[in-house]
Amino acid sequence: MDNMWLVLHWGSPIGTGIFLVCLGAMIYLISKADEKSKHTRAFAKEKGLEKKKE
């Protein structure tokens, strides 16, 4: 177990690489969700389906 900690901790190249891959995936997924949300809002506005503010 101690050997795995030395290989995968934050300071090692493998640990840093895993962190950067996960960070990149999270940023990618958030940007795709934002893009989808913008398209959905535009479609709802075009069709007159948006919520009315009172």
Side-chain angles (χ1 to χ4, degrees):
M1 185 64 180
D2 289 332
N3 292 337
M4 291 304 288
W5 173 252
L6 290 174
V7 170
L8 297 175
H9 76 287
W10 288 109
S12 73
I14 296 173
T16 304
I18 291 171
F19 170 74
L20 290 175
V21 166
C22 292
L23 181 65
M26 185 180 70
I27 291 170
Y28 174 75
L29 292 173
I30 289 172
S31 69
K32 292 302 258 186
D34 186 45
E35 181 180 327
K36 186 71 129 174
S37 176
K38 286 180 184 177
H39 287 294
T40 304
R41 271 189 256 127
F43 178 76
K45 187 174 183 180
E46 180 182 312
K47 295 292 182 181
L49 302 173
E50 71 271 358
K51 295 179 181 177
K52 305 281 189 214
K53 293 184 180 179
E54 295 181 21

